[in-house]
Amino acid sequence: MKCFYIFKDKSKKKKGDSRSAPELGNRSTPDTLPLSRTTRSLPSPRSITELYKEKEHNLRVFSFEELREATNGFNRLLKIGEGGFGSVYKGTIRPADGQVNSIPVAIKKLNKYGWQGHKQWLAEVQFLGVVSHPNLVKLLGYCSVDNERGIQRLLVYEYMPNKSLEDHLFNKGLPTLPWKMRLEIMLGAAEGLAYLHWGMEVQVIYRDFKSSNVLLDANFKPKLSDFGLAREGPTGDRTHVSTGVVGTYGYAAPEYVETGHLTSHSDIWTFGVVLYEILTGRRTLERNRPTVEQKLLDWVKQFPADSKRFSMILDPRLRNEYSIVSAKKIAKLADSCLNKNPKERPSMTEVVESLKQAIQDSQGTSTSTASTSTGTSTSRNVKSSQSRMVDRKPIRV
């Protein structure tokens, strides 16, 4: 998937050999715009940088030599993903507690060393160093070395063996995700987003929710990955964060693209897009289809949930093994997430409750029973392989 990037940062990073915990430093310009210049500002929570200072000791600092050994010299045979900002390798490391058995990990190695790449690497370290939730991928540590050989920036994650939601929806070589499992994956992802929005001292706007960033563990439990674009939410009397427009084409909320004003409602829009992906088994943009079907959101408007034609948009790979009642509820939930008025979209906590209800509806039908059986088979038979963890390749719009 191509992505867009309308932002340039002309700052330059100083060189210097270091393995200490990374710091963001002070910003020269504010990230948010106040509602009114005359309104008294409310007390602000601690920033991600401040929270990170308390937890940075939980991340392991690796040497470049350790990670090179862990990947057999970054052997191409161990490469499991590649994107605009780096390559991902499967590796093995010895646990920090001195245990003998090595553990599998995913190691992302940046291959572009400009300020923007470093900035996103740094954001991942600090956000993933602070957050803690079963539906967020775990960052084990990092490597940051500046020396005469150049700049090395690496991240070490827990290994996620069952690829991503995107792979299982669109890769015809993988078993089809059954209906109930699709709902359970989206429920887990929604719970992760709800935690980011409301579960911490500071609000986090993920800003890059999409099916390729929903990784699946050995039991197909979803975990959100790739926090390079995450931002702190507005605080006090501020209504939004003003930022350069970045993200993946086809997913970003229209008001964010038009104004650069970022809120948690932006994440909810993108969640609605992915809900339609699990319903239809189609990508948000498919240029190889007839013109009227290329843009997913435009195409599904022709088949509203209450119409007799609604079932025509449902993924044929499901083979009718789904609950039509819950499918219609998911379509209506997606439509509410895609409301053009951001303030009329549901919160992620409301989305969580709606998904739980849809899962209950699926359990009460014969078609969902077939899906559950298929889901067990999927869990047992899908080959283990790491998600591509694709980075964003910037393009202008």
Side-chain angles (χ1 to χ4, degrees):
M1 296 289 291
K2 291 187 176 179
C3 311
F4 54 87
Y5 212 117
I6 316 178
F7 181 69
K8 289 186 178 180
D9 194 322
K10 297 182 179 179
S11 303
K12 294 183 179 179
K13 182 175 60 61
K14 295 181 180 180
K15 291 187 177 181
D17 186 40
S18 173
R19 290 183 62 204
S20 60
E23 298 181 357
L24 278 174
N26 296 324
R27 298 183 178 91
S28 58
T29 56
D31 285 330
T32 56
L33 293 180
L35 182 63
S36 170
R37 292 181 181 273
T38 59
T39 303
R40 181 174 59 86
S41 296
L42 300 175
S44 297
R46 288 178 297 172
S47 67
I48 286 292
T49 305
E50 292 170 323
L51 294 173
Y52 174 74
K53 286 293 185 183
E54 296 180 357
K55 298 185 177 183
E56 60 185 355
H57 62 277
N58 294 330
L59 293 179
R60 183 172 169 184
V61 183
F62 293 90
S63 69
F64 183 73
E65 288 70 26
E66 284 179 284
L67 299 186
R68 181 164 53 191
E69 181 180 349
T71 57
N72 193 21
F74 300 102
N75 192 309
R76 287 184 297 175
L77 296 178
L78 294 176
K79 183 183 288 189
I80 53 178
E82 186 168 8
F85 283 98
S87 300
V88 183
Y89 300 83
K90 182 180 180 181
T92 55
I93 61 170
R94 290 284 181 87
D97 57 13
Q99 294 183 6
V100 177
N101 295 333
S102 296
I103 60 173
V105 293
I107 300 173
K108 182 192 291 186
K109 181 177 182 290
L110 298 191
N111 54 23
K112 292 187 178 180
Y113 305 118
W115 169 247
Q116 196 60 47
H118 169 80
K119 186 177 179 181
Q120 293 189 10
W121 172 88
L122 195 55
E124 284 217 63
V125 171
Q126 296 211 321
F127 279 106
L128 287 177
V130 168
V131 302
S132 178
H133 190 273
N135 296 113
L136 304 181
V137 72
K138 186 176 181 180
L139 180 68
L140 303 178
Y142 62 86
C143 172
S144 174
V145 178
D146 298 4
N147 54 32
E148 65 278 0
R149 294 184 178 181
I151 301 171
Q152 304 291 348
R153 296 287 183 270
L154 300 96
L155 297 168
V156 182
Y157 307 89
E158 63 177 316
Y159 181 67
M160 300 291 286
N162 274 320
K163 292 181 173 288
S164 69
L165 176 60
E166 177 190 51
D167 290 308
H168 286 278
L169 286 178
F170 310 128
N171 187 337
K172 305 303 181 185
L174 294 176
T176 301
L177 286 176
W179 175 246
K180 185 167 178 280
M181 184 175 288
R182 296 185 192 200
L183 297 186
E184 290 172 342
I185 288 171
M186 292 303 291
L187 173 59
E191 289 175 333
L193 283 175
Y195 165 79
L196 293 176
H197 290 177
W198 306 110
M200 296 188 295
E201 181 177 336
V202 58
Q203 184 185 62
V204 175
I205 303 173
Y206 185 41
R207 200 164 51 154
D208 202 23
F209 185 78
K210 55 186 177 181
S211 52
S212 63
N213 280 344
V214 180
L215 303 186
L216 305 172
D217 71 7
N219 297 314
F220 284 81
K221 180 179 179 179
K223 299 192 180 188
L224 304 185
S225 69
D226 203 340
F227 279 68
L229 296 184
R231 293 294 293 269
E232 294 178 39
T235 58
D237 56 10
R238 294 162 178 168
T239 61
H240 60 267
V241 175
S242 287
T243 175
V245 180
V246 298
T248 303
Y249 183 83
Y251 289 94
E255 74 279 0
Y256 171 53
V257 174
E258 292 168 5
T259 67
H261 294 176
L262 185 67
T263 69
S264 60
H265 301 301
S266 305
D267 284 344
I268 295 165
W269 171 280
T270 58
F271 195 88
V273 176
V274 179
L275 283 176
Y276 267 120
E277 287 186 335
I278 71 159
L279 278 168
T280 65
R282 295 193 183 195
R283 296 180 184 274
T284 182
L285 181 66
E286 296 188 356
R287 297 196 182 280
N288 61 333
R289 293 187 179 274
T291 303
V292 294
E293 297 185 23
Q294 290 183 2
K295 294 183 179 180
L296 177 61
L297 297 187
D298 290 341
W299 176 63
V300 296
K301 287 178 182 177
Q302 305 172 54
F303 309 91
D306 292 329
S307 71
K308 294 181 180 180
R309 305 174 64 207
F310 170 71
S311 59
M312 295 178 65
I313 71 170
L314 297 181
D315 187 353
R317 296 179 73 195
L318 290 170
R319 299 176 183 241
N320 294 321
E321 294 181 343
Y322 55 82
S323 162
I324 190 64
V325 173
S326 67
K328 288 183 176 182
K329 285 189 176 181
I330 293 301
K332 291 178 180 179
L333 176 60
D335 290 340
S336 66
C337 291
L338 296 167
N339 195 306
K340 289 295 179 66
N341 184 346
K343 295 181 180 180
E344 293 184 5
R345 296 169 196 161
S347 68
M348 284 312 306
T349 53
E350 292 172 324
V351 170
V352 166
E353 293 307 312
S354 296
L355 285 167
K356 288 180 179 178
Q357 184 60 54
I359 290 173
Q360 288 181 3
D361 292 338
S362 291
Q363 291 172 336
T365 64
S366 59
T367 54
S368 66
T369 301
S371 294
T372 303
S373 173
T374 307
T376 303
S377 175
T378 301
S379 298
R380 291 175 179 172
N381 298 330
V382 173
K383 247 183 216 183
S384 293
S385 55
Q386 171 66 11
S387 169
R388 286 176 292 166
M389 301 173 72
V390 178
D391 291 285
R392 297 150 304 280
K393 186 176 180 181
I395 62 172
R396 292 185 179 274
V397 294

